[in-house]
Amino acid sequence: MKICDETVRAAVDSGLGSVRMDAAQKQAILAQCRPTVAVRRPLRPLRRVLALAAAFALVLCLGGGVLAAAPELQQKLAVLGEETLQMLQPINQVSEDDGVRMEVLAAMSDGQVAAVYIALQDTTGQGRIGPDADMYTADISGAFFTAGEVVEYDESTGTAILRLTGDGSQQLAGKKVTVGTTSITSGLSFNDPVDLGYTMEEVRSLTGSIPVQYNRQIDSWGATGPAMECYTKLLDEGKIPVLTGWEEPVALPGVDWANVNAAGVVDGQLHIQVNNLGGMGRVNRLSFSLWDASGERVPCTELEMDLGEDHKMGTFQSYNDLVEYVLIPPEDADLSELSIRMETMTYDHLLDGNWATTFRLEEASESLVIPCGKDMNPWTLDEVQVSPISVTAFGSGEMTAESEAADLKVILTDGTEVSSSSASVSTGDGTVVCRSIFDRVIDLKDVAKVTLNGEELPLP
């Protein structure tokens, strides 16, 4: 493990829809068998403020008193607890753009995982940094995935403190890393469903004969619902119908960042093709749902197909300017009773700029290393490593769809299980790495047991 820092006082939260993956990557996540990286993280909607004063208590004291000579940093990071502060290396680097100050306060690393604490403040007094402020395109160089969670918000100064975690595909400890973002969001809202005033039957009768394409290959898509596997096969074969756009798009109620390019019912499926117009449309999201006559939401298979140009916003984030949403109701549904509603996720503020600082992470300190040699069919789990910020299974061989998953749990002496903020599985070149990043820092002396798929592993 390793240690590296700055002083923190931030609110970190990253969501959902900003990470775009192609079809192969999505299938890799489900099957856990292709030589790619499969990432699982909390949805952006699930933002929460963490009581880290307790969560960061009893942390491994390495580099004792590192922040003792930095009272300003100590004050800013007081929420983490005194023992945690002893682990941190002060960074004290500032980057400012568009009236927003980003201060990198502290960081730590256990080798391939880095945790960085950041403070964001709107120096113009416009209130653009709120308690849910997010470095939307956050990036830690050398990491293949970066996520964040809110730590604290100081309403009196309008300062948000965030904790970013970067999961690296290479050693980060002892190296220079650049931490920053090009987009900051704040003021997230999840708006109630809006009835669009049409049933599926009315859409079918109004649109009449709809020009569609049945042989178009969709490079990026997502599918959920009871008939997902069936439509996954059709998507792979390029046989899902895609609408031809109208000459004049139609506005959506209360939405000025997107419009409807085409809509219709094809083969019993509701298709709504949407243009994202840029601006707030780069981060705002919408979805559609069907409701029955009694006002209950109808369970549907849902598809989301990217048809237009994919616009990069950051290392991991992008948006597509043309998306077709498909709702497939149950076969016995009465289309005349299925009303169409729209739901939106919107932000009050989207700030564009360039915030970045570079510093060297300290060398990693020791972790708990547990030899295993367990057959996971057909790959072998060689060892498990537990650090104050993550637990990782290292294996050899090839993971397949039939392979046993590596479900690792870390239990502390007080009986609590350490929860994770994100997890990843990567395979390739005869190696398998399964990692979960904790949503808090733990003291290795407090680790009571580690289990693999319910079986307790012998601690060293």
Side-chain angles (χ1 to χ4, degrees), residues 148-195:
E149 290 183 293
V150 174
V151 175
E152 186 187 34
Y153 182 72
D154 187 338
E155 189 172 354
S156 64
T157 62
T159 301
I161 298 182
L162 300 84
R163 173 181 183 255
L164 298 184
T165 56
D167 190 350
S169 57
Q170 58 181 328
Q171 277 293 119
L172 300 176
K175 294 184 177 181
K176 283 188 175 181
V177 297
T178 298
V179 176
T181 186
T182 56
S183 297
I184 296 173
T185 57
S186 184
L188 177 65
S189 298
F190 299 94
N191 306 298
D192 293 335
V194 174
D195 194 329

